[in-house]
């Protein structure tokens, strides 16, 4: 009965959403409905007598300590390609002669056939070096003879092969197939079997987060780059940042890497002191051009070097005109996509902030994983960059939601900045202040909010169902919304460069989709929270958060309801005199869309007029074509 009632409410919502959102009656109904959802949620919270599952607070590791531990671990490690995991005893016995093997991890990469690798961690960097130095080049194969921790284990003559009985391996592989992702069906089974919503959210995080081996491999990729430039820059540091290290990474996530030639990223204060005191000063190479083009030229050479000399590095692409120039490449022995930059220090410090937010409260990462997966399955996010919301912006939405609560779960960034000690002072070369307290004890933020993850998930969707995206911007610095500084569809103040908008790329259409999808999700989740336990009907049918992830075409309202027909017809851009057919009259239901389209059109018409005056007819025609393409893009039509 209750279920039928929910379906009825849902149908009403679908109907209402298919109407113009700017309609005042529609608005009022939506508000009432959300208010109802809120009341319901409060009622449920009261009914739930069990306290939130908040485990004992675990020791929080400082970000820099975590990075250093991982970097040291990489210096003790080698990666060896083997026939299969069965080669482990032989490899172990062979390599044990170089030192103590602390751990061994197997993974496979599926190319044409399965390629098997074992990562060995030695007791010290010297022992790993001894193993690398003992390695040979294969004369039968051509190749650049470069030293690196990426090796292969060749078969040997039968005389030298140890018989199984001779092998003294006590060690075990810590993991077999350690980078294999759980496939969707298996994940669904795990989630189906969970006993309540909170367990589902917990399992989703546990089963899809980047694991220990994934992190080890990423730090090895970083070490390879650092070692490649260490002859000229002994203090060079290639440091992973982004989701590979901030605890928000999924299995298979890309590796963001920042390379600094001769400047430490952490401990810059000590370097500064030496620079001020030493009487011996290095001669240096004169900068040939301004800072930005110098970096671009350096990166061009670096790209060549990676491409020509580093084993495993392939498909090197240079994207040097971007705001942050990057080199992208694939690492075939690690099965890893890498984005290497040299000037993205704010991105690096932002990752530190995200890491800290994840450490503050154990509910933050599972909640974010669930929301990211929801966004991915309903097509709000996409692995390639574009006019849709990025995972990073989505994470900011989650953090902001947790900051602005009556009983906040996370502190504001302003509070972190206030608690900075002299050791926390960080300034980028562009003078951007990235100083904030890093010591959890010193910050001493404690949340008294004991809501369960499932409650937070519903509240997240309800919160953004009501959020005034038209007029308000999201500020993680203040932990409250502020007046929107410009007309961007979605405005999230960049925490470290507060004049910038993190989500400037998001189009009006995508923001509208976000609003619709959070409402859908609130609606779907409401009935799930109402029945928080696994349905005990003996079947494995999807339930709980799985309903958020399945794209039911009937249930989910697609934006074409609002954006049909096409927002801008190319022919609309030309004067009536230049075309035989009259311009199509489009009836836009949403006033904001109409305004945006009008402004794009008038700007394009102006540009075209100017071009016609200034250039020859042939050049003008080419420019018009280019403009039409830009406008097409502005429509936010995606080729997904
Ligand atoms: P996935 O790659 O999707 O797994 O997530 P990610 O967190 O690694 O995102 P991405 O690779 O796009 O960016 C890498 C890191 O750069 C993020 O974790 C942020 O720390 C930082 N970053 C990304 N966008 C911005 C931005 O607009 N401003 C600032 N200050 N930092 C950013
Ligand atoms: Mg990334």
């Amino acid at each position: 009965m209750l279920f039928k009632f929910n379906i009825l409410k849902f149908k009403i919502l679908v109907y209402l959403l298919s109407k113009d959102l700017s309609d005042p009656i529609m608005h009022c109904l939506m508000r009432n409905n959300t208010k109802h959802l809120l009341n319901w949620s409060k009622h449920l919270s009261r009914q739930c007598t069990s306290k939130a599952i908040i485990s004992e607070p675990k020791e929080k590791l400082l970000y820099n300590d975590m990075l250093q531990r991982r970097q040291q671990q990489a210096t003790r490690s080698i990666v060896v390609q083997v026939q299969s995991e069965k080669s482990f005893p032989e490899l172990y016995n062979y390599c044990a002669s170089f030192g103590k093997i602390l751990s061994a991890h197997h993974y496979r990469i599926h190319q044409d056939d399965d390629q098997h690798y074992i990562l060995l961690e030695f007791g010290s960097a010297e022992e790993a070096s001894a193993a690398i130095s003992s390695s040979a080049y294969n004369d039968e194969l051509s190749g650049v003879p470069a030293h690196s921790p990426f090796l292969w284990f060749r078969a040997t003559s039968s005389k030298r092969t140890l018989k199984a009985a001779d092998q003294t391996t006590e060690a075990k592989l810590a993991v077999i197939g350690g980078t294999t992702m759980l496939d969707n069906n298996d994940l669904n089974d795990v989630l189906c079997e969970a006993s309540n919503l909170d367990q589902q959210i917990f399992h989703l995080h546990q089963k899809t987060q980047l694991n220990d081996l994934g992190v080890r491999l990423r730090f090895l990729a970083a070490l390879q780059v650092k070692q490649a430039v260490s002859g000229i820059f002994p203090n060079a540091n290639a440091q992973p940042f982004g989701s590979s290290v901030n605890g928000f990474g999924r299995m298979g996530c890309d590796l963001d890497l920042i390379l600094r030639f001769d400047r430490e990223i952490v401990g810059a204060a000590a370097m500064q002191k030496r620079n001020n005191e030493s009487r011996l000063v290095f001669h240096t190479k004169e900068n040939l051009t301004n800072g930005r083009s110098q970096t671009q030229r350096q990166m061009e050479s670096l790209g060549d070097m990676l491409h020509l000399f580093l084993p495993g590095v392939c498909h090197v692409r240079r994207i040097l005109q971007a705001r942050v120039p990057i080199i992208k490449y694939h690492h075939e022995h690690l099965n890893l996509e890498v984005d290497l930059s040299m000037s993205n220090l704010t991105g690096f410090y932002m990752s530190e902030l995200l890491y800290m937010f994840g450490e503050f409260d154990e509910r933050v990462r599972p909640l974010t994983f669930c929301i990211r997966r929801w966004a991915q399955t309903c097509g709000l996010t996409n692995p390639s960059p574009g006019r849709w919301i990025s995972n990073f912006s989505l994470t900011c939405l989650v953090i902001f939601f947790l900051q602005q609560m009556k009983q906040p779960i996370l502190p504001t960034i302003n509070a972190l900045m206030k608690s900075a000690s002299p050791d926390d002072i960080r300034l980028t070369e562009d003078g951007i202040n990235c100083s904030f307290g890093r010591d959890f004890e010193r910050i001493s933020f404690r949340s008294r909010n004991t809501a369960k993850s499932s409650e937070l998930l519903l509240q997240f969707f309800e919160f953004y169902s009501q959020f005034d995206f038209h007029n308000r911007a999201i500020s993680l610095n203040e932990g409250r919304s502020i007046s929107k500084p410009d007309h961007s569809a979605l405005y999230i103040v960049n925490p470290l460069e507060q004049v910038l908008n993190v989500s400037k790329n998001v189009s009006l259409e995508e923001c509208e989709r976000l609003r619709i999808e959070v409402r859908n999700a609130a609606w779907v989740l409401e009935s799930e929270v109402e029945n928080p336990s696994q349905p005990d009907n003996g079947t494995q049918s999807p339930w709980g958060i799985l309903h958020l992830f399945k794209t039911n075409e009937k249930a989910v309202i697609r934006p074409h309801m609002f954006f049909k027909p096409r927002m801008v017809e190319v022919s609309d851009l030309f004067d009536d005199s230049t075309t035989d057919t009259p311009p199509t009259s489009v009836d836009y239901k949403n006033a904001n869309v109409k305004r945006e389209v009008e402004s794009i059109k008038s700007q394009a018409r102006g540009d075209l007029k100017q071009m016609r005056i200034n250039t020859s007819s042939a050049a003008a025609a080419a420019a018009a074509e280019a403009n039409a393409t830009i406008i097409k893009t502005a429509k936010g039509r995606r080729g997904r």
Side-chain angles (χ1 to χ4, degrees):
M1 181 67 190
L2 206 53
F3 184 59
K4 275 191 183 154
F5 178 51
N6 275 333
I7 290 189
L8 182 66
K9 280 196 297 179
F10 185 74
K11 282 186 177 162
I12 296 169
L13 184 67
V14 169
Y15 171 75
L16 293 174
L17 283 172
S18 66
K19 297 282 164 195
D20 193 335
L21 279 177
S22 59
D23 179 342
I25 299 172
M26 166 66 198
H27 219 84
C28 176
L29 283 168
M30 282 304 304
R31 282 171 63 97
N32 285 344
N33 187 63
T34 323
K35 215 191 277 170
H36 179 68
L37 287 182
L38 274 173
N39 288 339
W40 195 324
S41 156
K42 277 184 200 146
H43 166 72
L44 285 168
S45 312
R46 277 199 298 275
Q47 279 202 330
C48 285
T49 46
S50 60
K51 279 257 180 275
I53 317 165
I54 304 175
S55 42
E56 283 300 302
K58 64 174 174 67
E59 192 212 341
K60 294 182 176 63
L61 191 57
L62 294 183
Y63 187 65
N64 287 341
D65 292 348
M66 180 272 291
L67 291 182
Q68 269 170 24
R69 278 191 203 180
R70 288 293 189 178
Q71 280 183 324
Q72 284 161 8
Q73 192 176 59
T75 63
R76 295 193 297 266
S77 305
I78 60 172
V79 161
V80 188
Q81 188 168 3
V82 290
Q83 193 76 39
S84 76
E85 68 268 26
K86 295 196 183 103
S87 309
F88 173 61
E90 213 175 324
L91 177 71
Y92 181 91
N93 279 310
Y94 185 81
C95 289
S97 63
F98 302 111
K100 185 174 164 55
I101 295 171
L102 295 188
S103 65
H105 314 247
H106 166 270
Y107 64 95
R108 69 177 77 84
I109 297 176
H110 190 74
Q111 285 164 351
D112 296 334
D113 47 5
D114 273 351
Q115 311 278 327
H116 295 261
Y117 294 85
I118 292 175
L119 181 152
L120 289 180
E121 183 195 355
F122 286 95
S124 71
E126 290 71 31
E127 290 167 353
S129 274
I132 294 170
S133 301
S134 80
S135 301
Y137 296 108
N138 187 334
D139 294 335
E140 291 154 31
L141 298 175
S142 64
V144 182
H147 257 229
S148 88
F150 300 102
L151 313 164
W152 57 280
F153 194 46
R154 68 176 154 195
T156 185
S157 61
S158 54
K159 237 201 293 182
R160 283 164 58 197
T161 310
L162 287 175
K163 286 192 208 122
D166 300 332
Q167 296 174 359
T168 54
T169 305
E170 284 154 23
K172 293 252 173 322
L173 279 166
V175 65
I176 295 178
T179 56
T180 310
M181 285 186 236
L182 201 62
D183 90 5
N184 265 348
N185 291 338
D186 293 342
L187 179 64
N188 286 356
D189 288 349
V190 170
L191 298 183
C192 275
E193 279 162 23
S195 55
N196 58 43
L197 275 169
D198 294 286
Q199 247 190 37
Q200 280 193 319
I201 296 170
F202 176 77
H203 285 321
L204 174 70
H205 176 233
Q206 291 294 309
K207 299 286 177 191
T208 58
Q209 69 178 331
L210 184 65
N211 62 11
D212 170 62
L213 178 58
V215 179
R216 284 173 186 261
L217 297 180
R218 281 159 177 76
F219 274 82
L220 260 172
L223 181 67
Q224 187 187 26
V225 174
K226 173 187 156 115
Q227 287 179 341
V229 298
S230 65
I232 316 177
F233 307 105
N235 297 325
N237 199 354
Q239 188 73 265
F241 69 103
S243 57
S244 298
V245 285
N246 64 21
F248 289 91
R250 288 189 319 149
M251 288 290 282
C253 67
D254 68 356
L255 167 65
D256 301 288
L257 207 53
I258 178 165
L259 174 66
R260 310 290 292 165
F261 276 154
D262 209 7
R263 239 168 267 176
E264 290 176 55
I265 296 172
V266 287
M271 181 81 117
Q272 192 58 43
K273 188 162 177 275
R274 199 180 76 188
N275 282 350
N276 292 341
E277 288 174 359
S278 175
R279 287 199 56 198
L280 297 176
V281 181
F282 287 112
H283 272 297
T284 53
K285 192 89 187 167
E286 193 185 340
N287 274 351
L288 302 173
T289 50
N290 68 44
R292 184 177 164 82
S293 32
Q294 178 82 6
T295 306
Q296 285 169 340
R297 286 191 58 184
Q298 288 170 348
M299 290 189 79
E300 228 170 270
S301 309
L302 186 70
D304 283 341
M305 196 222 9
L306 298 174
H307 172 62
L308 293 172
F309 302 130
L310 295 203
V313 171
C314 54
H315 304 305
V316 177
R317 289 143 285 157
R318 299 168 190 78
I319 300 165
L320 304 179
Q321 300 307 324
R323 187 173 73 88
V324 177
I326 53 171
I327 299 171
K328 278 180 166 295
Y329 64 88
H330 181 78
H331 203 295
E332 62 180 348
H333 300 310
L334 301 171
N335 197 22
L336 197 57
E337 284 302 316
V338 184
D339 280 2
L340 175 68
S341 65
M342 286 174 59
S343 52
N344 191 11
L345 267 184
T346 53
F348 173 81
Y349 291 125
M350 192 60 227
S351 300
E352 185 170 15
L353 274 174
L354 290 191
Y355 171 84
M356 289 180 66
F357 282 129
E359 290 291 294
F360 269 119
D361 193 288
E362 294 200 330
R363 291 164 289 182
V364 177
R365 287 181 180 129
L367 185 66
T368 310
F369 267 61
C370 192
I371 289 163
R372 279 186 175 195
R373 191 170 182 89
W374 156 79
Q376 182 209 338
T377 52
C378 64
L380 282 172
T381 52
N382 188 290
S384 56
R387 293 174 70 78
W388 38 91
I389 190 164
S390 66
N391 270 337
F392 173 63
S393 294
L394 207 53
T395 309
C396 290
L397 291 188
V398 180
I399 291 169
F400 177 73
F401 159 69
L402 297 172
Q403 288 174 325
Q404 58 71 49
M405 306 180 91
K406 268 205 183 111
Q407 288 195 332
I409 289 184
L410 291 176
T412 64
I413 293 182
N414 283 351
L416 297 185
M417 286 182 162
K418 271 193 202 128
S419 68
S421 71
D423 283 348
D424 295 315
I425 293 172
R426 307 279 190 280
L427 213 59
T428 69
E429 284 146 336
D430 314 338
I432 299 162
N433 183 8
C434 300
S435 311
F436 48 84
R438 279 142 168 107
D439 182 349
F440 292 100
E441 290 302 315
R442 198 184 157 96
I443 298 164
S444 76
F445 172 85
R446 300 269 178 281
S447 174
R448 283 182 291 133
N449 188 321
T450 57
K452 297 197 247 180
S453 303
S454 54
E455 290 162 350
L456 295 176
L457 187 64
L458 177 60
Q459 287 165 20
F460 170 88
F461 291 126
E462 285 168 345
F463 174 74
Y464 285 109
S465 296
Q466 293 194 317
F467 191 81
D468 179 5
F469 288 103
H470 284 303
N471 300 307
R472 310 295 292 171
I474 284 161
S475 166
L476 278 67
N477 300 71
E478 306 210 12
R480 63 178 183 85
S481 71
I482 58 168
S483 214
K484 230 189 206 182
D486 68 27
H487 295 298
S488 308
L490 176 63
Y491 203 112
I492 303 173
V493 178
N494 190 325
L496 296 174
E497 292 163 273
Q498 289 179 46
V499 289
L500 301 180
N501 172 10
V502 162
S503 51
K504 196 175 167 52
N505 62 309
V506 176
S507 68
L508 196 68
E509 183 190 359
E510 288 299 324
C511 188
E512 209 58 61
R513 272 169 54 78
L514 175 69
R515 284 152 48 97
I516 294 165
E517 296 293 358
V518 288
R519 283 173 183 169
N520 278 334
W523 191 256
V524 170
L525 204 58
E526 179 200 359
S527 56
E528 297 299 326
V529 173
E530 192 181 306
N531 305 300
S533 299
Q534 180 191 13
D536 191 17
N537 54 11
T539 62
Q540 284 285 303
S541 53
W543 69 279
I545 59 170
L546 283 165
H547 284 311
L548 282 182
F549 303 152
K550 85 178 173 190
T551 325
N552 180 347
E553 285 302 324
K554 277 188 193 144
V556 177
I557 295 146
R558 292 281 153 210
H560 60 244
M561 289 181 167
F562 297 89
F563 294 91
K564 232 163 82 176
R566 293 163 68 198
M567 280 170 65
V568 179
E569 294 297 331
V570 175
S571 58
D572 291 358
L573 299 172
F574 297 91
D575 296 340
D576 288 354
S577 57
T578 61
T579 168
D580 295 339
T581 46
T584 331
S585 164
V586 179
D587 182 19
Y588 299 104
K589 283 189 175 166
N590 189 305
N592 285 318
V593 175
K594 190 174 175 179
R595 268 199 300 280
E596 198 190 49
V597 170
E598 283 308 330
S599 109
I600 293 170
K601 276 181 174 181
S602 84
Q603 198 187 334
R605 280 202 196 97
D607 290 350
L608 278 171
K609 221 177 214 168
Q610 196 58 41
M611 274 184 247
R612 281 191 187 127
I613 295 165
N614 292 347
T615 59
S616 70
S617 58
E625 203 179 305
N627 239 353
T629 316
I630 293 166
I631 290 151
K632 258 190 195 167
T633 317
K635 287 183 303 180
R637 298 184 73 231
R638 295 170 299 167
R640 297 188 202 181

